Amino acid sequence: MKIERIVLRHIAMPLVEPLRTSFGSEPLRPAIIIEIRADGLTGWGECVAGGYPGYSYETIGTAWHVLGEFFGPAILGREISSVDDLLAALNRYRGHNMARSALQMAVWDLIGKAEGKPLSALLATPGRYDRPKRDRVEVGVSIGIQDSVGATLDIIEKRLTEGYRRIKLKIEPGWDVDMISAVRERYPEIRLMVDANSAYRPEDADHLAQLDAFDLMMIEQPLAHDDLYHHSRLRQHLKTPICLDESIETLTDAQLALHIGACDIINIKTARVGGLWEAREIHDLCLERGVPVWVGGMLETGIGRAANLALASLPGFVLPGDISATDRYYSPDIADPPFVLNADGTITVPNGPGLGVNVNRERLDDVTLRSVTLV
Ligand code: OSB
Ligand code: MG
């Protein structure tokens, strides 16, 4: 397929409920929506870089620059018929995983549409796994830092009533042991985990060990993104399993982390690792090693959410993902149909061609701040 046109749209989506983490919160979720045209087909991708370099060094501005000046031009007018072709075209560029991943998502969508296959089937090629992919995946919900313990208990109650069966709470120094203790007292049985987004230092090890009392599924990314070494030390000090998010940007990061015992679990985010291809490679490594993985979220619109669901259908994703229903994030979303929670706490994996969602162009226009067309 010859790539004929690429459109980048910088959008701002009002969040139903902003997510406060240890590095802040954004009431308007920015994203770059990529549209690529080839052979009369349209592929969609979503770049989840934030408005500021908090979770990642990438921002909407850096992604706009890199997509418009380098990654887009590298495939424009070229024959791209497989993900391999895309990887080869981008091979000479380093980093910028969120921008890279968004373009790759659009290429997977195009290929799925050209072949009439859902993304989940493209990812689970015949013979690749000895277990079948799932058609619905277990999901959980991520709850931000609230103003009070009471507000936290209320929102947990609301999420449990909605049918979520795994709760993740964002923590930071000053918002951890007492809050979690109150939550555990009220809900002794729920599947509970915490995410620190790198808010602690190695000296906090004894403090973090107090969390061992609360039967948490895991603590996600307690220490700095570039500090596998102290994660491996901390792991010796805690009973609570350690999950890495920010620290794992490549397959070799995952290999090193497992080799030195820096984590028990990995949160795989397609955007953070540079694409679905790379996400699947890390999944395959962990599957082979018996390391549990789950699909992380970046408050995606329906476009990125569809990709997350397809990824989560692979057999190694044995823990619930941060893939909540559409109404937890956007009302309305820019893609249809909305994703809804099934009665068993799962979401159904799309099975239309490619991502399996329809972008509503009118709604997309409503939230677009600027756009550029590469031809
Ligand atoms: O650390 O997992 C994180 C959102 C933005 C940046 C970082 C993170 C998150 C989430 C969102 O936790 C989870 C979701 O999309 O529901
Ligand atoms: Mg995280």
Side-chain angles (χ1 to χ4, degrees):
M1 292 180 285
K2 187 169 168 222
I3 307 296
E4 293 148 14
R5 186 156 61 102
I6 302 175
V7 185
L8 306 180
R9 291 181 180 83
H10 171 185
I11 66 167
M13 296 283 287
L15 273 163
V16 170
E17 185 186 294
L19 181 76
R20 191 173 140 208
T21 66
S22 55
F23 49 75
S25 91
E26 291 178 303
L28 281 178
R29 180 69 174 117
I32 298 171
I33 302 301
I34 303 181
E35 177 185 359
I36 55 181
R37 299 272 308 172
D39 281 1
L41 298 169
T42 302
W44 295 95
E46 174 173 355
C47 176
V48 297
Y52 59 92
Y55 171 82
S56 157
Y57 69 84
E58 291 186 80
T59 67
I60 287 292
T62 67
W64 188 264
H65 165 63
V66 168
L67 285 164
E69 305 291 329
F70 307 107
F71 294 177
I75 64 164
L76 195 64
R78 299 258 305 263
E79 233 4 91
I80 302 287
S81 303
S82 65
V83 174
D84 269 333
D85 290 344
L86 175 73
L87 299 179
L90 299 188
N91 193 26
R92 62 205 179 97
Y93 297 120
R94 185 191 296 186
H96 298 277
N97 280 356
M98 291 180 169
R100 196 180 284 270
S101 162
L103 196 61
Q104 198 190 107
M105 190 186 301
V107 168
W108 283 101
D109 189 29
L110 260 187
I111 293 170
K113 284 169 175 163
E115 296 184 9
K117 288 188 191 146
L119 175 58
S120 58
L122 295 181
L123 291 170
T125 48
R128 191 177 184 98
Y129 304 111
D130 56 16
R131 267 176 283 167
K133 68 182 173 74
R134 302 178 186 83
D135 48 24
R136 33 175 61 198
V137 299
E138 272 195 290
V139 302
V141 63
S142 175
I143 295 178
I145 295 168
Q146 307 291 313
D147 291 334
S148 66
V149 171
T152 307
L153 294 172
D154 289 348
I155 182 95
I156 293 174
E157 174 83 51
K158 180 174 162 198
R159 296 303 177 215
L160 294 173
T161 307
E162 286 169 344
Y164 292 102
R165 296 187 181 176
R166 185 228 66 181
I167 301 287
K168 159 168 146 180
L169 296 168
K170 295 285 188 181
I171 58 168
E172 65 183 2
W175 183 256
D176 47 32
V177 178
D178 295 347
M179 184 271 295
I180 304 289
S181 167
V183 170
R184 240 326 163 219
E185 201 166 306
R186 171 88 163 263
Y187 299 105
E189 302 290 338
I190 59 171
R191 293 219 271 175
L192 191 63
M193 54 179 282
V194 294
D195 184 0
N197 289 111
S198 301
Y200 296 88
R201 298 154 304 157
E203 308 84 87
D204 297 322
D206 286 335
H207 177 73
L208 290 172
Q210 295 177 73
L211 295 174
D212 286 343
F214 306 122
D215 189 26
L216 301 175
M217 296 170 74
M218 69 194 86
I219 177 171
E220 188 181 339
Q221 197 68 41
L223 307 177
H225 71 99
D226 58 354
D227 195 357
L228 286 180
Y229 171 64
H230 285 105
H231 277 104
S232 76
R233 302 262 310 245
L234 182 63
R235 182 160 169 267
Q236 301 300 317
H237 203 76
L238 302 187
K239 285 201 221 71
T240 306
I242 292 185
C243 172
L244 290 176
D245 173 353
E246 285 90 325
S247 290
I248 307 297
E249 295 186 343
T250 61
L251 177 65
T252 50
D253 287 342
Q255 286 164 333
L256 178 58
L258 298 182
H259 183 72
I260 70 168
C263 64
D264 301 280
I265 299 169
I266 295 178
N267 157 346
I268 300 181
K269 286 182 186 168
T270 296
R272 196 191 64 226
V273 302
L276 288 157
W277 181 277
E278 292 79 357
R280 186 177 59 180
E281 282 192 322
I282 295 173
H283 160 274
D284 291 358
L285 169 77
C286 292
L287 183 62
E288 193 189 298
R289 304 277 179 90
V291 174
V293 295
W294 53 281
V295 172
M298 290 295 290
L299 309 173
E300 287 86 352
T301 72
I303 297 172
R305 191 165 310 284
N308 287 348
L309 286 161
L311 181 65
S313 73
L314 299 183
F317 288 102
V318 294
L319 292 167
D322 269 349
I323 315 174
S324 307
T326 301
D327 66 3
R328 138 96 183 74
Y329 307 91
Y330 305 110
S331 176
D333 202 340
I334 53 170
D336 293 313
F339 294 108
V340 293
L341 199 61
N342 299 316
D344 60 354
T346 64
I347 295 182
T348 304
V349 179
N351 68 8
L355 293 170
V357 293
N358 292 309
V359 175
N360 181 314
R361 288 181 182 273
E362 210 172 296
R363 270 184 253 142
L364 182 58
D365 284 347
D366 286 345
V367 293
T368 298
L369 303 178
R370 55 175 165 158
S371 67
V372 63
T373 302
L374 314 180
V375 280

